[in-house]
Amino acid sequence: MTTTVLPAHGVGSRQDLPLPFELLVVGAALALVVSFVALGVLWKQPLLGREQGRLLPAPLALALDSPVVRGFFAALSLALTAWTLLALVFGRDNANNPVPYVVYVWLWVGLGVLSLVFGPIWRVLNPVRWIHRGILAAARVAPDLSLVPYRLGYWPAAAGLLAFTWLELIAPDNATLPVLQLAVFSFLLISLVLALVFGRGYFAAGDPFEAWSSLYGTLSPLGRRADGRWVLRTPLHGPNELATQPGLLAVTSVMLGGTAYDGFSSETWWYTFVQSSPLPGRLWQTAALLAMCLIVAMSLYAAAATSALLAGLPVRGLASAFAPSLLPIAAGYLVAHYWSLWVFEGTNGLARLSDPLGTGANWLGTAGIEPSYALIEPTLVATIQVVSIVTGHVLGVVLAHERAVSLFERRVAVLGQVPLLVLMVCYTVGGLTLLFSH
């Protein structure tokens, strides 16, 4: 049996960089410091309001809210789900099966990237939402039925995303059909049970992929004003409007920590250590994944606690208040680590999707599609990685500043941000080092 082997994720080479690595690191750190100083001088009060944004043209706004348009894309999502399940259940367990590409490339990377552009699209496309709705309709039960009020916030999403990250990066034989069948059908069953118990309110924050899409979707230039009208706005408005809920720090830490672990796991010394250890390698890998997520959460908590001390504010809830500032950083890591995987293997997945049963068919007419090597040219990829990392961190600094001037008194707002700036610089240096370790 030949199984699908997807390429390593986004590991760059220092030889591909347009500038010396050390110079880039220093420049990136200086960019954050300069941004911080400029913000302290020029941005002394909250500037991001929900009433802001440039209105979209009326026809486009009507199309975005059109039941016909939304229904079309929902139907397309359900059709793709059924097509993927066909390949999952009846397809051949070999390198040409499209399921690993749909799960690990389209659902994971593609959903995140598309949400950055178009917003929280999984609210419309989520097939589990529609299956849940169909079950209730068939049983002639009200669509808002719940047995228990939902109060868990993002905690189920954090657990689900952590489990998926483990499946993608650590689990043995994770591209084989038996493993994917167990993972996919377990996820469907657990999701439907939770939705039936907590009602459809569970999906918005509790569903892992809806939370993934919604949180990245806050960075989209498409959004709604306070009056509900569609507007174009900065990528800072959405995260700044994000309401603090239980588990928000946990889910953002998993989003960033999981990607950081992906880069860390390619380090030669780590790989050698895991292989030579008398303990099972996957035990070390799982511990490292958990450690990365905990490091992100604890470092932000420590920075927020220090900021609270400097500003004379209580620590409780402050880390969660600053958690949205991790979202642009996580988005930068997402693009940097997975650009080549998305543009290359995403195209290969589309080609394989045309033959779900592995019979040599070309039902969709896409079997001949080939990825463009120009999009994964080493210098281009390295440039995209550096720009993504630095841009994400600069946006994180700006968002943290907006939060600080909203929460802190003006006289201590800048001083209170210093621990967060130090943290952002550490994230930047660490992210670039993990990406360009060779």
Side-chain angles (χ1 to χ4, degrees):
M1 178 188 68
T2 303
T3 57
T4 303
V5 179
L6 299 180
H9 299 165
V11 178
S13 170
R14 297 187 183 185
Q15 297 177 350
D16 300 325
L17 289 168
L19 294 172
F21 173 75
E22 293 76 9
L23 182 61
L24 280 174
V25 170
V26 173
L30 285 176
L32 297 186
V33 174
V34 171
S35 300
F36 173 78
V37 174
L39 289 170
V41 174
L42 302 174
W43 195 321
K44 298 183 178 180
Q45 59 186 3
L47 297 179
L48 302 178
R50 295 196 62 188
E51 72 286 352
Q52 296 172 343
R54 182 181 295 273
L55 286 171
L56 290 183
L60 180 56
L62 289 173
L64 290 175
D65 284 328
S66 169
V68 175
V69 173
R70 291 178 172 237
F72 169 79
F73 283 106
L76 190 63
S77 175
L78 287 170
L80 176 59
T81 301
W83 194 269
T84 304
L85 291 177
L86 177 69
L88 180 67
V89 176
F90 299 107
R92 296 184 180 181
D93 192 8
N94 59 32
N96 292 320
N97 193 292
V99 175
Y101 296 87
V102 173
V103 173
Y104 297 128
V105 182
W106 289 15
L107 181 61
W108 187 243
V109 184
L111 178 59
V113 172
L114 291 176
S115 297
L116 288 173
V117 178
F118 299 108
I121 57 175
W122 206 240
R123 292 177 185 172
V124 176
L125 303 180
N126 188 352
V128 185
R129 261 191 187 269
W130 290 102
I131 294 171
H132 170 256
R133 183 173 177 176
I135 291 173
L136 295 183
R140 297 186 177 182
V141 176
D144 57 353
L145 173 72
S146 66
L147 302 179
V148 180
Y150 184 73
R151 298 191 180 95
L152 299 177
Y154 287 104
W155 282 110
L161 291 176
L162 181 63
F164 185 89
T165 305
W166 183 88
L167 173 69
E168 182 195 14
L169 302 179
I170 299 174
D173 302 321
N174 59 357
T176 62
L177 288 188
V179 172
L180 286 167
Q181 287 165 356
L182 177 62
V184 170
F185 288 115
S186 296
F187 171 74
L188 288 174
L189 178 61
I190 293 171
S191 297
L192 287 173
V193 169
L194 290 173
L196 291 171
V197 171
F198 294 109
R200 60 184 179 183
Y202 155 78
F203 289 110
D207 181 271
F209 298 107
E210 195 153 322
W212 175 263
S213 174
S214 297
L215 290 172
Y216 278 132
T218 61
L219 295 162
S220 168
L222 292 173
R224 293 185 186 271
R225 280 193 328 199
D227 59 6
R229 302 178 70 182
W230 284 102
V231 293
L232 286 175
R233 59 186 186 178
T234 74
L236 299 172
H237 280 82
N240 191 58
E241 296 170 4
L242 197 60
T244 301
Q245 294 190 51
L248 178 59
L249 176 59
V251 74
T252 53
S253 297
V254 171
M255 292 168 69
L256 179 55
T259 310
Y261 168 77
D262 194 2
F264 171 77
S265 63
S266 66
E267 292 286 330
T268 302
W269 71 267
W270 170 252
Y271 181 81
T272 302
F273 169 76
V274 170
Q275 294 298 314
S276 61
S277 172
L279 296 176
R282 288 188 177 83
L283 179 63
W284 283 114
Q285 293 167 339
T286 302
L289 172 61
L290 291 171
M292 282 292 182
C293 297
L294 287 173
I295 287 171
V296 173
M298 293 173 65
S299 60
L300 181 60
Y301 183 88
T306 307
S307 295
L309 181 64
L310 293 174
L313 293 175
V315 176
R316 184 179 178 85
L318 200 57
S320 293
F322 281 104
S325 63
L326 294 180
L327 292 175
I329 300 173
Y333 275 58
L334 178 77
V335 174
H337 276 269
Y338 299 121
W339 165 261
S340 55
L341 182 74
W342 168 236
V343 300
F344 196 85
E345 295 302 344
T347 305
N348 284 334
L350 180 60
R352 285 161 173 76
L353 203 65
S354 198
D355 183 21
L357 302 181
T359 61
N362 187 14
W363 292 349
L364 301 179
T366 60
I369 292 179
E370 295 183 355
S372 172
Y373 284 87
L375 294 176
I376 58 170
E377 192 273 327
T379 301
L380 173 63
V381 172
T383 302
I384 290 173
Q385 290 174 328
V386 171
V387 171
S388 299
I389 291 289
V390 175
T391 301
H393 284 83
V394 170
L395 291 177
V397 168
V398 177
L399 190 56
H401 178 82
E402 171 72 8
R403 285 287 172 121
V405 296
S406 300
L407 297 171
F408 300 160
E409 293 183 12
R410 183 173 176 178
R411 60 182 179 83
V412 295
V414 174
L415 178 62
Q417 293 174 71
V418 171
L420 295 166
L421 172 65
V422 173
L423 179 63
M424 299 293 181
V425 170
C426 291
Y427 282 166
T428 303
V429 174
L432 291 173
T433 301
L434 289 177
L435 271 175
F436 302 102
S437 57
H438 307 293

